[in-house]
């Protein structure tokens, strides 16, 4: 299995955690904290927005990325056993 995907998932989960804490800092600070380039950070943010449908925006007042709605990023398989039992 490629080592790239688990690393990306780890970074996405860390970004999510910092967004929920409203503590990402400015993009360069966040990229430095995650030990990635700013361009990679922007790619991850875009994946979160367009693929994972996370309502992320940058707040200039807080100097942090924030979610426009309360929530949490969820990456993984969710068992639909309860749904199947209802059918």
């Amino acid at each position: 299995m490629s080592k790239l995907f688990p690393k990306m998932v780890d970074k996405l989960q860390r970004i999510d955690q910092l967004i929920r804490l409203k503590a990402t800092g400015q993009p360069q600070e966040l990229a430095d904290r995650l030990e990635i380039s700013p361009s990679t950070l922007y790619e991850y943010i875009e994946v979160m927005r367009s693929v994972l449908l996370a309502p992320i925006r940058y707040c200039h007042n807080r100097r942090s990325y924030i979610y426009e709605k309360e929530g949490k990023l969820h990456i993984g398989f969710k068992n639909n056993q309860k749904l199947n039992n209802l059918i």
Side-chain angles (χ1 to χ4, degrees):
M1 181 163 117
S2 170
K3 294 179 182 179
L4 181 62
F5 186 70
K7 286 182 182 181
M8 182 180 191
V9 169
D10 287 343
K11 299 290 186 193
L12 293 175
Q13 290 174 331
R14 181 70 176 134
I15 293 168
D16 170 66
Q17 178 186 38
L18 291 169
I19 290 173
R20 286 184 285 111
L21 293 171
K22 297 178 179 83
T24 65
Q26 296 180 22
Q28 182 65 55
E29 294 171 309
L30 180 56
D32 291 345
R33 183 182 288 177
L34 297 172
E35 299 178 344
I36 58 176
S37 69
S39 61
T40 299
L41 171 65
Y42 293 128
E43 288 176 16
Y44 286 173
I45 296 292
E46 184 55 31
V47 165
M48 292 174 77
R49 283 180 178 143
S50 63
V51 177
L52 301 173
L53 305 177
I56 299 171
R57 72 174 176 87
Y58 184 77
C59 177
H60 292 280
N61 292 334
R62 292 180 186 250
R63 294 185 177 162
S64 179
Y65 286 98
I66 62 170
Y67 287 132
E68 294 180 329
K69 299 177 185 176
E70 272 194 50
K72 181 178 180 179
L73 194 65
H74 179 78
I75 303 171
F77 180 79
K78 189 169 184 179
N79 187 342
N80 287 334
Q81 186 173 4
K82 289 182 182 178
L83 293 176
N84 290 336
N85 289 337
L86 297 174
I87 298 174

